[in-house]
Amino acid sequence: MKVKFLGALALGATMLVGCGTVPQSKELSEISNATMADSLAYYLGEQGAMAYWQATAQDTTLKTEAARAAYLKGFKKGMESITEEDAYNRGVSQGMNLAMYLKTLKAEYDVDLKNDPALAGLAFGMQSDTIVNPRMLQQAIQPIGMQLEAIKSKKDKEIADKKIAEEMQKSNYQKDVNGLVYKVMAEGKGDKLEDGQMVLVELIMTDVAGKPLVPTDVKPQKVVVGQHHYISMLNQVLPMMQVGSAYKVLGSAIELFGPQSRQFRLKGSDIACMEVKVVGYCDEKGELSETPIKVAKEDVKIANK
């Protein structure tokens, strides 16, 4: 229990305003006359370092020297705040965790979350263990979360659209009647692709500067024209292409990659590129075919974003 408690405290420590000197790095062997208890405390401190590095994966600004020093001072301040009263200590820990979560929500959704309503809800729920029903609480929170997501999506789209307009002018992209932003990298031969045809396609996902977001040695994949279930823009661009042609599509991360954009650590307001090359027609097994082969048309539902 105490180990878990210290872990929670480490996560919330950056909320405290640290003062005094920054704790200095030492190897265990450098601690004079270290006892078994000192060794245990040292290793528990290293667990706090693990929590720090996990946090940097979500917030890269924590990797700066200034942020690292602030984290260390906050951690130290948190440890020094512990009293003999366990109830108070637990309250401090949970309060810091909630404050960190509120801070994250403020930054992500640009919403003004105040401490007073949270404290009022806490005090009300603590009157009896029968007041708060987890299922009903989740049902109450869910529609609010959906509203926040809708507001955020609208704001992200406005930011992304502005970035796309700027990149269009800078890099000579063009826009079709349906709003698809693209440029032709290589012309193909033959007829335009048709819905339902099976083709082998090379996809390279990059940022605007051209840096690949995934390994570039990925094998060509079989795609049914007009029936891709994850990338709606692929359904838009393929009917414009021919065998051998290569296009570069510009769009928001969500429009291009859907739910996978989070795997690339892209925000909804980010923009990126999808380079598409049609290698050739193929059969059901993904083997190249000299002539086009069609499959039955199916209703396409793009995965939730």
Side-chain angles (χ1 to χ4, degrees), residues 15-174:
M15 289 302 296
L16 293 169
V17 180
C19 59
T21 59
V22 177
Q24 298 302 303
S25 170
K26 291 183 181 179
E27 292 187 16
L28 181 57
S29 60
E30 296 178 277
I31 299 177
S32 301
N33 303 315
T35 64
M36 180 179 64
D38 292 332
S39 297
L40 177 59
Y42 185 90
Y43 295 134
L44 292 177
E46 285 193 332
Q47 281 190 342
M50 290 171 59
Y52 163 77
W53 288 113
Q54 289 170 357
T56 62
Q58 302 296 323
D59 184 358
T60 56
T61 62
L62 290 175
K63 291 184 178 181
T64 66
E65 288 298 323
R68 188 179 304 179
Y71 190 98
L72 281 166
K73 288 196 289 184
F75 197 104
K76 179 184 176 186
K77 182 69 174 179
M79 294 188 72
E80 292 170 347
S81 298
I82 293 296
T83 71
E84 294 299 320
E85 188 178 354
D86 282 346
Y88 175 84
N89 295 336
R90 290 175 184 274
V92 169
S93 173
Q94 294 303 316
M96 286 191 295
N97 285 336
L98 180 56
M100 286 290 287
Y101 185 52
L102 294 180
K103 182 174 180 285
T104 299
L105 292 177
K106 287 179 183 179
E108 186 171 352
Y109 294 101
D110 192 25
V111 60
D112 185 19
L113 294 168
K114 298 182 177 66
N115 290 346
D116 286 348
L119 292 170
L122 171 70
F124 180 76
M126 287 178 65
Q127 293 179 97
S128 168
D129 62 0
T130 62
I131 291 178
V132 181
N133 181 300
R135 183 175 63 84
M136 294 181 66
L137 184 61
Q138 186 61 35
Q139 288 177 348
I141 290 175
Q142 187 174 16
I144 300 175
M146 293 174 65
Q147 290 180 50
L148 290 176
E149 284 291 344
I151 294 170
K152 183 176 183 297
S153 295
K154 182 180 178 181
K155 183 179 178 181
D156 283 348
K157 187 176 187 311
E158 291 172 353
I159 296 172
D161 286 347
K162 184 179 179 180
K163 291 179 181 178
I164 289 170
E166 293 172 351
E167 188 64 25
M168 281 183 65
Q169 291 186 342
K170 185 171 67 174
S171 302
N172 299 318
Y173 283 90
Q174 54 187 311

Side-chain angles (χ1 to χ4, degrees), residues 150-223:
I151 294 170
K152 183 176 183 297
S153 295
K154 182 180 178 181
K155 183 179 178 181
D156 283 348
K157 187 176 187 311
E158 291 172 353
I159 296 172
D161 286 347
K162 184 179 179 180
K163 291 179 181 178
I164 289 170
E166 293 172 351
E167 188 64 25
M168 281 183 65
Q169 291 186 342
K170 185 171 67 174
S171 302
N172 299 318
Y173 283 90
Q174 54 187 311
K175 183 186 291 188
D176 76 349
V177 293
N178 296 314
L180 183 73
V181 179
Y182 70 98
K183 60 181 172 181
V184 179
M185 310 300 289
E187 297 286 357
K189 295 181 180 179
D191 297 329
K192 299 285 187 183
L193 301 180
E194 298 178 9
D195 280 359
Q197 291 178 341
M198 292 181 288
V199 290
L200 276 182
V201 173
E202 290 181 358
L203 294 177
I204 300 178
M205 313 301 191
T206 73
D207 61 17
V208 176
K211 180 181 178 182
L213 298 171
V214 293
T216 56
D217 58 351
V218 177
K219 294 181 180 179
Q221 56 183 281
K222 184 188 80 173
V223 174

